[in-house]
Amino acid sequence: MRPRHLRRRGALAAAATTLAVLCAGQTLAAPQAAAAPVPALGREVRASTASEVHTAQDAAARAIAGALADPGWRAGVRKAALASDEVAVTALADGALRTALADGALRTALAAADRRIAAAKGLAPDVGPLLRLRLGDPSMRAALTAGTEPWVAAATSDDGPVTAYDGKGRTHTLDARKAPARPVYVVDIDGSRALAAGLDVLHEELARRGVRSAGPAPEPEQTRSRAAAAGLWTTRITAVSLSDDQEPWIKGDAEIYTLVTGFGHDGKVRVDPVDMPYLDNDGTVYRPQQILVNWSSYKYDLADAVMMEEDGSTNYRDLAKAIAAVLLTVTDQGAYTPLVNALLDAIPDDWWTDDPDYVDSWYTLARTDSGTRYGARGNGWMTLEPYFVQEL
């Protein structure tokens, strides 16, 4: 079961009181006075994105369910679903479907749904196939193997009832919290592909809007030792885990990323997205040895981290616009200013209803940090260590 994360900011402000003990000897600037309100993205825009994505997924689910009336197609999908955790629906359509359904209507419908989802998420048209099909729950394998007629449902982006379709076009309402005995194919988005492409868009859009999110800047010689020329200091994650929050069966693995924020050498806020594709399940300890912070990119030896979950309906261009609009109002005061609250405040309130989900945040990660750090809202922990990357 993957992590499910609260959709509200909670008591984040209280966490700021712990900052002084985390500063590793550096001076922290007092939190800035609230900046002038920045117009947030309208609820209509956010709702439109979620609606477009879900409508496209639902249309694909109905089309696939209807095609299951064909014995050859039904057998091919069953074999693929039992052999793999997930399968690209367009790959199925390109294969057996050419002979089973000669008119190509299903292939056309699935390709159109793919393009609609990419556009709604702010991704390039050439991102590749996004729609995936998987069995809703491992408990359904026995019934599917025995030949029970499967239904098809779109992965929902909330906790409401699940609508499934059978081969005759009829709808069935399922409990999102309890997996049914009947096998259900779930039409979902390839979260890994969507997130990787989305983070590229986020990099580009943030840079275009004036928030650095590119490669490391040269370190001023007067503030770094000559030894730094032979490599660079980073902070590496040696272990990480998230809490168990009981996500509905209809949803698949989590797609986690972290936004690392701090002040660049030009004194302006920068945001560096870090993909964490291995963080699939809650209650599991992962040991990725992944670099989280490249300190050569930052003016101070302190940075913040906000962990998020891509949950299907994120428009990355809109996310970059919202983040840039607020962070560009934060200025360097000559001492480190924590940026977690500013980053969370940049996300419009209506985005917290589901996507992108806020997982946890880490205030003032120091370059010298070594050991386990718990997130501000207690939903996760990371074990960190300083790690010097030697120049070749």
Side-chain angles (χ1 to χ4, degrees):
M1 198 70 71
R2 70 168 183 166
R4 177 171 180 261
H5 311 296
L6 296 180
R7 274 72 168 176
R8 59 180 181 271
R9 293 161 191 171
L12 284 175
T17 61
T18 67
L19 294 177
V21 298
L22 302 173
C23 300
Q26 298 195 43
T27 303
L28 280 177
Q32 289 182 305
V38 177
L41 297 176
R43 291 179 183 270
E44 297 79 5
V45 174
R46 179 70 190 125
S48 174
T49 298
S51 177
E52 280 286 304
V53 170
H54 182 67
T55 297
Q57 286 180 261
D58 191 68
R62 282 186 283 111
I64 291 170
L68 290 175
D70 181 282
W73 165 251
R74 185 169 64 248
V77 175
R78 179 173 65 246
K79 181 179 179 180
L82 291 172
S84 178
D85 289 340
E86 62 177 20
V87 59
V89 295
T90 47
L92 290 173
D94 285 339
L97 198 131
R98 286 187 175 175
T99 55
L101 300 169
D103 62 1
L106 178 57
R107 185 174 183 276
T108 299
L110 297 179
D114 252 331
R115 291 193 298 271
R116 187 173 183 180
I117 290 170
K121 292 176 69 60
L123 305 178
D126 61 355
V127 66
L130 292 173
L131 285 171
R132 293 290 187 270
L133 180 143
R134 56 180 168 79
L135 194 58
D137 191 82
S139 64
M140 302 172 181
R141 292 181 64 86
L144 183 63
T145 302
T148 302
E149 178 192 353
W151 294 341
V152 186
T156 56
S157 59
D158 54 39
D159 300 335
V162 175
T163 299
Y165 302 94
D166 63 24
K168 297 181 180 179
R170 296 173 299 196
T171 61
H172 305 269
T173 301
L174 305 176
D175 187 342
R177 289 288 166 183
K178 183 179 180 182
R182 177 181 292 274
V184 178
Y185 293 142
V186 176
V187 177
D188 206 347
I189 294 173
D190 183 344
S192 296
R193 182 189 292 268
L195 180 56
L199 293 185
D200 286 343
V201 171
L202 196 59
H203 274 290
E204 295 167 4
E205 283 295 306
L206 286 172
R208 191 170 70 84
R209 295 178 183 278
V211 176
R212 283 188 62 88
S213 182
E219 297 191 47
E221 290 187 8
Q222 66 271 26
T223 60
R224 303 297 181 201
S225 69
R226 294 179 62 86
L232 53 90
W233 279 102
T234 69
T235 288
R236 183 168 68 172
I237 304 171
T238 59
V240 58
S241 184
L242 301 178
S243 299
D244 184 353
D245 288 304
Q246 297 301 310
E247 187 73 311
W249 63 269
I250 192 72
K251 292 189 176 182
D253 290 337
E255 298 297 339
I256 302 294
Y257 62 102
T258 296
L259 301 178
V260 178
T261 63
F263 289 91
H265 295 286
D266 58 1
K268 296 180 181 178
V269 174
R270 63 179 291 132
V271 178
D272 293 301
V274 178
D275 193 0
M276 308 177 85
Y278 51 86
L279 253 175
D280 291 335
N281 300 303
D282 51 17
T284 302
V285 177
Y286 295 91
R287 303 184 185 280
Q289 306 299 313
Q290 180 185 26
I291 291 176
L292 179 67
V293 186
N294 176 354
W295 292 106
S296 69
S297 297
Y298 296 96
K299 176 180 179 180
Y300 300 103
D301 285 351
L302 294 171
D304 297 322
V306 175
M307 189 178 286
M308 306 289 286
E309 178 184 358
E310 145 67 39
D311 212 5
S313 303
T314 308
N315 184 305
Y316 289 93
R317 296 191 190 280
D318 288 346
L319 179 58
K321 178 180 178 181
I323 290 174
V326 170
L327 293 190
L328 287 175
T329 68
V330 181
T331 58
D332 182 10
Q333 301 177 27
Y336 187 74
T337 302
L339 298 167
V340 169
N341 288 358
L343 182 58
L344 295 180
D345 286 343
I347 301 175
D349 288 339
D350 55 299
W351 285 44
W352 297 86
T353 58
D354 190 82
D355 308 313
D357 293 341
Y358 163 57
V359 179
D360 215 327
S361 51
W362 284 261
Y363 288 77
T364 54
L365 297 175
R367 180 174 172 176
T368 55
D369 275 352
S370 182
T372 299
R373 290 282 307 269
Y374 289 87
R377 61 167 291 235
N379 193 52
W381 57 264
M382 293 190 290
T383 301
L384 307 171
E385 68 175 10
Y387 181 71
F388 187 74
V389 179
Q390 190 76 39
E391 188 177 273
L392 292 176

